[in-house]
Structures are given as structure tokens and as C-alpha cells.
Amino acid sequence: MAAAEPRGAGAAPPGYAALAVKFGERQRSPHCLLVKEHRVREGPGDAHPPARTLFVLNVPPYCGPGALSRLFGGCGPVQSVDVRDKPGPGEKTEKQRSKFFGRRTATGFRVAYVVFRKPASVQAVKALAQEGPLLVSTDSHPVKTGVSKWIARYADSVVDQEELKAEVDTFMQDYDKKVAQEEAKAAQEEGVPDEEGWVKVTRRGRKPGLPRTEAANLRVLERERRKRARKELLNFYAWQHRETKREHIAQLRKKFEEDKQRIALMRAQRKFRPY
């Protein structure tokens, strides 16, 4: 594999430490990862605790969560690795992302949040900057590139129908359960006044009202506009009759004046020519 151009090979920005890494032993020029301790105000649902999270910049596409976990695993046990396109708040997700839906391939350099189990591991990462370049792809944990990477990506794109069916069934069961809970809660609150004495009125029946999205509202407005256009008939109202007659009379008068001018011109051009 061709050697990647080193980014940030010079002095690291203030607050960051430059960590040199190489794709393999044959690569001559190292690549620099910019790391620092993640320091933000911790919220109740924050998945990146400041005391145990390492913020990593300039992550190349071939360096995934597994490779980052191996690179920093020598500083202490890694709890999780979150790789993103750009920095953002870390919110805890209740369930893992789908294996079949929403998948996309990384195309550029990204950022990562490496969460350790102990706060001392974050400080130990700074000592790695003084050592030699770390290897992303090793004999024990090779990173696939070239044709082997394309073959593996194609193999992953082939969907297992049984596994997909099981995931869809699980999702629909959870959805039906959630809808049933919402309907039961609405039935309990129906007709019961709130603290201010207001009673919530809901539409129930064979076709209950559904929340409309912006796209649905646009479709409804377009449907109503076409319906009004079909109902509007030509010369249906009295004022439409008057306008039509007035335009017809104006056209007749204009044509009459044009005919008069044409006849006058023909008479003026008529001459007596005996021979």
C-alpha cells in the first residue's frame, strides 16, 4: 500500500499530543493522530465521560474502531470506541444500530472518542507520543486493503434473508408493543381533566387521525388545489359572461378597423391605366 501523506507531522496544536502511527512496517512516512483528553460538562445521558474519554483527530479511513482499540489497548482496557465524521455530543443509545439499514462507507478523515474503563489510561496515552510509531495493521490483526477489502465489502453486502427477517420481526414486535402502550395510556387519560381542568379530546374510530408530516401537508394542499381547479368551470359566473362578451366585442372592433384601413389603402393604390 502506498504511504499516506503525514498530517500534522509538525508541532501539534495547543492542548493536543501528536501520536505517530503507520499502516504497516513497509510504510515509511508515519501518520499523526492528534489526541487530547475529552473535557466537557458531563450530562445525564453522556456516553463520553470526560475523565475517561480520549478525543482523537485526524483518524484515517482504514483505522476503524477495532484498530483504535488495539492501538490504545496498551494504556488500559478500552470500554468503547465511537468514530464519527465530525465532533458532536455523545448520547447513549439504547440499542445497537441495524446491521442492514443505514450502513455507509467511510470516505475521509474522521474523529473518534475512545472511552477507557479507568481515568489513568487517558494520561498514559501521552507516554505513547514519546515512543516509536504504532502499527495499525499487524500479522496477528491485519487490515484488509485493495482487492481483499473489496471482496470482503461485497461479501458483507449480501444480505442473509433469515437474519434480515428476524431483525424486521423483532422491530415490528417492539413497534406494536409501543403502539399498544400508547393506546392504553391514551385510553386511561381520555376524559380525565388535567391540573388546569382541560380535557384532552382525541379522534378515535375506524380511521383515527395520524400526525401529519410536512410532506403529507404539501400533498394535501396540492390535492385540494387540483380539486378546486376541476370544480371551477368556464363562464360559470355572470361576471365571466360579461368579461367574455366585452373581449369578443373588442376583438370585432379591432378587426373592423384593420379592414377599413386595408380597403382605404387598396383604393388609394388604384390608378387608371388605359394602355
Side-chain angles (χ1 to χ4, degrees):
M1 177 177 178
E5 291 293 334
R7 296 194 177 189
Y16 288 87
L19 181 62
V21 297
K22 294 197 305 182
F23 179 81
E25 295 181 355
R26 296 182 179 181
Q27 183 179 0
R28 297 180 180 180
S29 301
H31 177 84
C32 287
L33 300 178
L34 302 178
V35 298
K36 75 170 185 177
E37 182 181 354
H38 182 57
R39 296 180 181 178
V40 294
R41 182 178 298 178
E42 184 177 4
D46 194 359
H48 306 149
R52 298 185 290 110
T53 303
L54 182 71
F55 181 56
V56 187
L57 283 176
N58 206 21
V59 180
Y62 56 79
C63 194
L68 291 174
S69 181
R70 291 193 300 270
L71 288 177
F72 298 108
C75 300
V78 178
Q79 178 178 337
S80 62
V81 178
D82 185 10
V83 181
R84 300 186 176 187
D85 293 334
K86 58 183 179 179
E91 300 178 354
K92 293 183 178 179
T93 55
E94 298 180 357
K95 294 185 179 181
Q96 189 178 3
R97 296 179 181 178
S98 173
K99 178 182 177 181
F100 305 99
F101 305 102
R103 297 186 302 177
R104 60 188 185 87
T105 305
T107 56
F109 288 79
R110 298 174 294 174
V111 300
Y113 297 88
V114 182
V115 182
F116 293 94
R117 296 187 181 276
K118 298 180 180 180
S121 301
V122 178
Q123 304 301 328
V125 174
K126 298 180 180 179
L128 292 178
Q130 307 300 330
E131 301 180 2
L134 303 177
L135 298 180
V136 177
S137 179
T138 60
D139 295 337
S140 57
H141 299 89
V143 177
K144 295 181 179 180
T145 58
V147 177
S148 60
K149 180 180 179 180
W150 296 338
I151 294 175
R153 186 179 300 175
Y154 174 76
D156 294 338
S157 65
V158 179
V159 178
D160 186 358
Q161 296 183 1
E162 296 296 332
E163 191 174 357
L164 176 61
K165 182 177 181 301
E167 181 173 341
V168 173
D169 292 341
T170 303
F171 175 83
M172 293 305 301
Q173 291 176 3
D174 296 339
Y175 176 78
D176 293 341
K177 183 178 180 181
K178 182 179 179 181
V179 171
Q181 292 176 354
E182 293 178 354
E183 291 180 352
K185 183 179 179 181
Q188 293 178 358
E189 296 178 354
E190 186 177 5
V192 179
D194 56 7
E195 297 178 355
E196 299 180 356
W198 294 93
V199 178
K200 183 178 179 180
V201 180
T202 59
R203 179 182 176 184
R204 302 180 63 85
R206 294 183 179 180
K207 296 183 179 180
L210 298 176
R212 287 184 178 179
T213 60
E214 183 177 359
N217 291 332
L218 293 177
R219 289 195 297 269
V220 172
L221 293 176
E222 180 66 18
R223 193 181 303 113
E224 292 178 355
R225 186 187 65 82
R226 293 179 180 177
K227 187 176 181 180
R228 288 195 302 268
R230 288 196 300 267
K231 287 185 177 180
E232 185 177 355
L233 302 178
L234 185 62
N235 296 334
F236 182 77
Y237 298 99
W239 62 269
Q240 290 179 332
H241 283 285
R242 291 194 298 269
E243 290 292 333
T244 303
K245 290 181 179 179
R246 188 179 296 112
E247 292 177 1
H248 182 63
I249 293 174
Q251 291 178 359
L252 291 177
R253 289 177 177 176
K254 182 179 179 181
K255 187 176 181 181
F256 178 74
E257 295 295 332
E258 292 176 354
D259 293 339
K260 285 176 61 177
Q261 294 178 4
R262 186 168 61 253
I263 293 174
L265 181 61
M266 293 173 60
R267 288 179 177 177
Q269 292 177 352
R270 184 183 302 172
K271 296 181 181 180
F272 179 72
R273 296 178 179 178
Y275 299 106

